[in-house]
mmCIF file of all heavy atoms in Angstrom:
data_model
loop_
_atom_site.group_PDB
_atom_site.id
_atom_site.type_symbol
_atom_site.label_atom_id
_atom_site.label_comp_id
_atom_site.label_asym_id
_atom_site.label_seq_id
_atom_site.Cartn_x
_atom_site.Cartn_y
_atom_site.Cartn_z
ATOM 1 N N GLU A 118 -27.510 12.068 3.548
ATOM 2 C CA GLU A 118 -27.197 11.451 4.845
ATOM 3 C C GLU A 118 -28.527 11.269 5.631
ATOM 4 O O GLU A 118 -29.182 12.250 5.717
ATOM 5 C CB GLU A 118 -26.163 12.180 5.633
ATOM 6 C CG GLU A 118 -24.747 12.396 4.882
ATOM 7 C CD GLU A 118 -23.786 11.294 5.291
ATOM 8 O OE1 GLU A 118 -24.025 10.516 6.117
ATOM 9 O OE2 GLU A 118 -22.743 11.220 4.535
ATOM 10 N N ASP A 119 -28.711 10.096 6.235
ATOM 11 C CA ASP A 119 -30.020 9.907 6.925
ATOM 12 C C ASP A 119 -29.831 8.732 7.867
ATOM 13 O O ASP A 119 -28.740 8.042 7.939
ATOM 14 C CB ASP A 119 -31.165 9.636 5.888
ATOM 15 C CG ASP A 119 -32.426 9.919 6.462
ATOM 16 O OD1 ASP A 119 -32.489 10.292 7.778
ATOM 17 O OD2 ASP A 119 -33.473 9.888 5.771
ATOM 18 N N VAL A 120 -30.856 8.517 8.699
ATOM 19 C CA VAL A 120 -30.862 7.396 9.637
ATOM 20 C C VAL A 120 -32.181 6.634 9.368
ATOM 21 O O VAL A 120 -33.260 7.303 9.284
ATOM 22 C CB VAL A 120 -30.817 7.970 11.149
ATOM 23 C CG1 VAL A 120 -30.999 6.775 12.088
ATOM 24 C CG2 VAL A 120 -29.539 8.655 11.330
ATOM 25 N N MET A 121 -32.147 5.370 9.266
ATOM 26 C CA MET A 121 -33.388 4.622 9.059
ATOM 27 C C MET A 121 -33.397 3.566 10.238
ATOM 28 O O MET A 121 -32.483 3.283 10.951
ATOM 29 C CB MET A 121 -33.350 3.914 7.738
ATOM 30 C CG MET A 121 -32.150 2.825 7.639
ATOM 31 S SD MET A 121 -32.246 1.971 6.004
ATOM 32 C CE MET A 121 -30.512 1.873 5.550
ATOM 33 N N MET A 122 -34.577 2.909 10.261
ATOM 34 C CA MET A 122 -34.812 1.887 11.371
ATOM 35 C C MET A 122 -34.770 0.524 10.685
ATOM 36 O O MET A 122 -35.345 0.329 9.673
ATOM 37 C CB MET A 122 -36.152 2.059 12.059
ATOM 38 C CG MET A 122 -36.326 3.322 12.777
ATOM 39 S SD MET A 122 -35.151 3.530 14.158
ATOM 40 C CE MET A 122 -35.596 2.186 15.242
ATOM 41 N N LEU A 123 -33.958 -0.397 11.193
ATOM 42 C CA LEU A 123 -33.812 -1.663 10.727
ATOM 43 C C LEU A 123 -33.988 -2.765 11.885
ATOM 44 O O LEU A 123 -33.209 -2.723 12.790
ATOM 45 C CB LEU A 123 -32.505 -1.979 10.034
ATOM 46 C CG LEU A 123 -32.271 -1.436 8.576
ATOM 47 C CD1 LEU A 123 -30.875 -1.640 8.151
ATOM 48 C CD2 LEU A 123 -33.222 -2.026 7.623
ATOM 49 N N ASP A 124 -35.063 -3.420 11.831
ATOM 50 C CA ASP A 124 -35.349 -4.477 12.911
ATOM 51 C C ASP A 124 -35.285 -3.795 14.280
ATOM 52 O O ASP A 124 -34.728 -4.341 15.252
ATOM 53 C CB ASP A 124 -34.264 -5.539 12.852
ATOM 54 C CG ASP A 124 -34.443 -6.414 11.565
ATOM 55 O OD1 ASP A 124 -35.561 -6.494 10.988
ATOM 56 O OD2 ASP A 124 -33.478 -7.080 11.228
ATOM 57 N N GLY A 125 -35.872 -2.619 14.369
ATOM 58 C CA GLY A 125 -35.943 -1.888 15.666
ATOM 59 C C GLY A 125 -34.717 -1.206 16.039
ATOM 60 O O GLY A 125 -34.691 -0.647 17.164
ATOM 61 N N GLN A 126 -33.695 -1.177 15.174
ATOM 62 C CA GLN A 126 -32.493 -0.479 15.522
ATOM 63 C C GLN A 126 -32.230 0.698 14.464
ATOM 64 O O GLN A 126 -32.510 0.568 13.308
ATOM 65 C CB GLN A 126 -31.231 -1.387 15.468
ATOM 66 C CG GLN A 126 -31.380 -2.513 16.609
ATOM 67 C CD GLN A 126 -30.138 -3.400 16.588
ATOM 68 O OE1 GLN A 126 -29.435 -3.517 15.601
ATOM 69 N NE2 GLN A 126 -29.828 -4.064 17.674
ATOM 70 N N GLU A 127 -31.571 1.701 14.939
ATOM 71 C CA GLU A 127 -31.214 2.844 14.106
ATOM 72 C C GLU A 127 -29.980 2.568 13.297
ATOM 73 O O GLU A 127 -28.985 1.985 13.850
ATOM 74 C CB GLU A 127 -31.036 4.173 14.937
ATOM 75 C CG GLU A 127 -32.389 4.619 15.568
ATOM 76 C CD GLU A 127 -32.084 5.688 16.657
ATOM 77 O OE1 GLU A 127 -30.936 5.668 17.170
ATOM 78 O OE2 GLU A 127 -33.050 6.446 17.026
ATOM 79 N N CYS A 128 -30.024 2.856 12.029
ATOM 80 C CA CYS A 128 -28.903 2.652 11.120
ATOM 81 C C CYS A 128 -28.571 3.860 10.366
ATOM 82 O O CYS A 128 -29.402 4.261 9.473
ATOM 83 C CB CYS A 128 -29.112 1.468 10.273
ATOM 84 S SG CYS A 128 -27.869 1.092 9.038
ATOM 85 N N ALA A 129 -27.496 4.515 10.575
ATOM 86 C CA ALA A 129 -27.054 5.732 9.817
ATOM 87 C C ALA A 129 -26.552 5.242 8.531
ATOM 88 O O ALA A 129 -25.915 4.211 8.384
ATOM 89 C CB ALA A 129 -25.975 6.520 10.514
ATOM 90 N N TYR A 130 -26.767 6.014 7.402
ATOM 91 C CA TYR A 130 -26.335 5.566 6.044
ATOM 92 C C TYR A 130 -26.134 6.818 5.249
ATOM 93 O O TYR A 130 -26.660 7.929 5.515
ATOM 94 C CB TYR A 130 -27.274 4.637 5.428
ATOM 95 C CG TYR A 130 -28.569 5.190 5.087
ATOM 96 C CD1 TYR A 130 -28.849 5.627 3.716
ATOM 97 C CD2 TYR A 130 -29.589 5.427 5.986
ATOM 98 C CE1 TYR A 130 -30.118 6.186 3.358
ATOM 99 C CE2 TYR A 130 -30.882 6.040 5.634
ATOM 100 C CZ TYR A 130 -31.087 6.444 4.276
ATOM 101 O OH TYR A 130 -32.194 6.950 3.934
ATOM 102 N N SER A 131 -25.515 6.648 4.033
ATOM 103 C CA SER A 131 -25.519 7.645 3.079
ATOM 104 C C SER A 131 -25.906 7.056 1.691
ATOM 105 O O SER A 131 -25.880 5.851 1.494
ATOM 106 C CB SER A 131 -24.078 8.272 2.940
ATOM 107 O OG SER A 131 -23.200 7.255 2.313
ATOM 108 N N ILE A 132 -26.478 7.913 0.843
ATOM 109 C CA ILE A 132 -26.822 7.448 -0.506
ATOM 110 C C ILE A 132 -26.376 8.487 -1.452
ATOM 111 O O ILE A 132 -26.667 9.716 -1.353
ATOM 112 C CB ILE A 132 -28.313 7.098 -0.714
ATOM 113 C CG1 ILE A 132 -28.667 6.836 -2.222
ATOM 114 C CG2 ILE A 132 -29.171 8.288 -0.204
ATOM 115 C CD1 ILE A 132 -30.089 6.242 -2.412
ATOM 116 N N SER A 133 -25.552 8.099 -2.448
ATOM 117 C CA SER A 133 -25.079 8.993 -3.530
ATOM 118 C C SER A 133 -25.709 8.577 -4.848
ATOM 119 O O SER A 133 -25.595 7.385 -5.216
ATOM 120 C CB SER A 133 -23.513 8.969 -3.601
ATOM 121 O OG SER A 133 -22.975 9.395 -2.347
ATOM 122 N N LYS A 134 -26.361 9.568 -5.624
ATOM 123 C CA LYS A 134 -26.976 9.211 -6.744
ATOM 124 C C LYS A 134 -26.796 10.301 -7.791
ATOM 125 O O LYS A 134 -26.877 11.487 -7.405
ATOM 126 C CB LYS A 134 -28.549 8.991 -6.515
ATOM 127 C CG LYS A 134 -29.342 8.476 -7.637
ATOM 128 C CD LYS A 134 -30.851 8.344 -7.209
ATOM 129 C CE LYS A 134 -31.592 7.769 -8.398
ATOM 130 N NZ LYS A 134 -33.072 7.617 -8.008
ATOM 131 N N PRO A 135 -26.516 9.943 -9.009
ATOM 132 C CA PRO A 135 -26.310 11.057 -10.080
ATOM 133 C C PRO A 135 -27.587 11.934 -10.180
ATOM 134 O O PRO A 135 -28.682 11.421 -10.186
ATOM 135 C CB PRO A 135 -26.051 10.261 -11.422
ATOM 136 C CG PRO A 135 -25.515 8.899 -10.901
ATOM 137 C CD PRO A 135 -26.199 8.618 -9.617
ATOM 138 N N ALA A 136 -27.312 13.209 -10.267
ATOM 139 C CA ALA A 136 -28.450 14.107 -10.299
ATOM 140 C C ALA A 136 -29.344 13.865 -11.522
ATOM 141 O O ALA A 136 -30.576 14.074 -11.452
ATOM 142 C CB ALA A 136 -27.902 15.534 -10.349
ATOM 143 N N ALA A 137 -28.693 13.358 -12.618
ATOM 144 C CA ALA A 137 -29.490 13.000 -13.836
ATOM 145 C C ALA A 137 -30.520 11.933 -13.605
ATOM 146 O O ALA A 137 -31.475 11.800 -14.380
ATOM 147 C CB ALA A 137 -28.519 12.677 -14.961
ATOM 148 N N LEU A 138 -30.272 11.140 -12.536
ATOM 149 C CA LEU A 138 -31.179 9.997 -12.268
ATOM 150 C C LEU A 138 -32.053 10.249 -11.070
ATOM 151 O O LEU A 138 -32.699 9.347 -10.529
ATOM 152 C CB LEU A 138 -30.337 8.719 -11.979
ATOM 153 C CG LEU A 138 -29.408 8.262 -13.087
ATOM 154 C CD1 LEU A 138 -28.688 6.993 -12.670
ATOM 155 C CD2 LEU A 138 -30.200 7.855 -14.405
ATOM 156 N N LYS A 139 -32.145 11.556 -10.684
ATOM 157 C CA LYS A 139 -32.891 11.910 -9.453
ATOM 158 C C LYS A 139 -34.270 11.346 -9.538
ATOM 159 O O LYS A 139 -34.830 10.868 -8.549
ATOM 160 C CB LYS A 139 -32.901 13.341 -9.309
ATOM 161 C CG LYS A 139 -33.663 13.831 -7.955
ATOM 162 C CD LYS A 139 -33.574 15.344 -7.855
ATOM 163 C CE LYS A 139 -34.282 15.762 -6.564
ATOM 164 N NZ LYS A 139 -34.212 17.216 -6.324
ATOM 165 N N ASP A 140 -35.005 11.494 -10.619
ATOM 166 C CA ASP A 140 -36.410 11.060 -10.788
ATOM 167 C C ASP A 140 -36.560 9.842 -11.476
ATOM 168 O O ASP A 140 -37.707 9.463 -11.988
ATOM 169 C CB ASP A 140 -37.151 12.237 -11.538
ATOM 170 C CG ASP A 140 -37.090 13.546 -10.771
ATOM 171 O OD1 ASP A 140 -37.202 13.487 -9.509
ATOM 172 O OD2 ASP A 140 -36.995 14.607 -11.360
ATOM 173 N N SER A 141 -35.463 9.021 -11.615
ATOM 174 C CA SER A 141 -35.491 7.771 -12.444
ATOM 175 C C SER A 141 -35.236 6.571 -11.431
ATOM 176 O O SER A 141 -34.705 6.762 -10.356
ATOM 177 C CB SER A 141 -34.433 7.773 -13.553
ATOM 178 O OG SER A 141 -34.571 8.855 -14.379
ATOM 179 N N SER A 142 -35.711 5.412 -11.871
ATOM 180 C CA SER A 142 -35.469 4.191 -11.152
ATOM 181 C C SER A 142 -34.060 3.705 -11.542
ATOM 182 O O SER A 142 -33.908 3.277 -12.737
ATOM 183 C CB SER A 142 -36.494 3.164 -11.499
ATOM 184 O OG SER A 142 -36.340 1.926 -10.715
ATOM 185 N N ALA A 143 -33.150 3.805 -10.632
ATOM 186 C CA ALA A 143 -31.749 3.500 -10.971
ATOM 187 C C ALA A 143 -31.239 2.235 -10.321
ATOM 188 O O ALA A 143 -31.801 1.830 -9.285
ATOM 189 C CB ALA A 143 -30.858 4.682 -10.378
ATOM 190 N N PRO A 144 -30.219 1.584 -10.923
ATOM 191 C CA PRO A 144 -29.599 0.438 -10.228
ATOM 192 C C PRO A 144 -28.870 0.954 -9.012
ATOM 193 O O PRO A 144 -28.579 2.168 -8.874
ATOM 194 C CB PRO A 144 -28.638 -0.081 -11.292
ATOM 195 C CG PRO A 144 -28.372 1.063 -12.209
ATOM 196 C CD PRO A 144 -29.610 1.887 -12.165
ATOM 197 N N ALA A 145 -28.546 0.077 -8.056
ATOM 198 C CA ALA A 145 -27.942 0.501 -6.886
ATOM 199 C C ALA A 145 -26.847 -0.460 -6.430
ATOM 200 O O ALA A 145 -26.949 -1.637 -6.657
ATOM 201 C CB ALA A 145 -28.966 0.622 -5.743
ATOM 202 N N LEU A 146 -25.829 0.102 -5.811
ATOM 203 C CA LEU A 146 -24.764 -0.678 -5.100
ATOM 204 C C LEU A 146 -24.792 -0.484 -3.601
ATOM 205 O O LEU A 146 -24.815 0.699 -3.220
ATOM 206 C CB LEU A 146 -23.397 -0.274 -5.611
ATOM 207 C CG LEU A 146 -22.234 -0.714 -4.790
ATOM 208 C CD1 LEU A 146 -22.074 -2.206 -4.798
ATOM 209 C CD2 LEU A 146 -20.876 -0.060 -5.359
#
Side-chain angles (χ1 to χ4, degrees):
E118 299 269 348
D119 203 356
V120 176
M121 62 177 143
M122 298 299 296
L123 282 176
D124 295 334
Q126 295 182 338
E127 294 165 338
C128 174
Y130 72 97
S131 70
I132 175 170
S133 300
K134 186 177 182 182
L138 300 178
K139 181 177 181 180
D140 299 321
S141 305
S142 181
L146 164 64

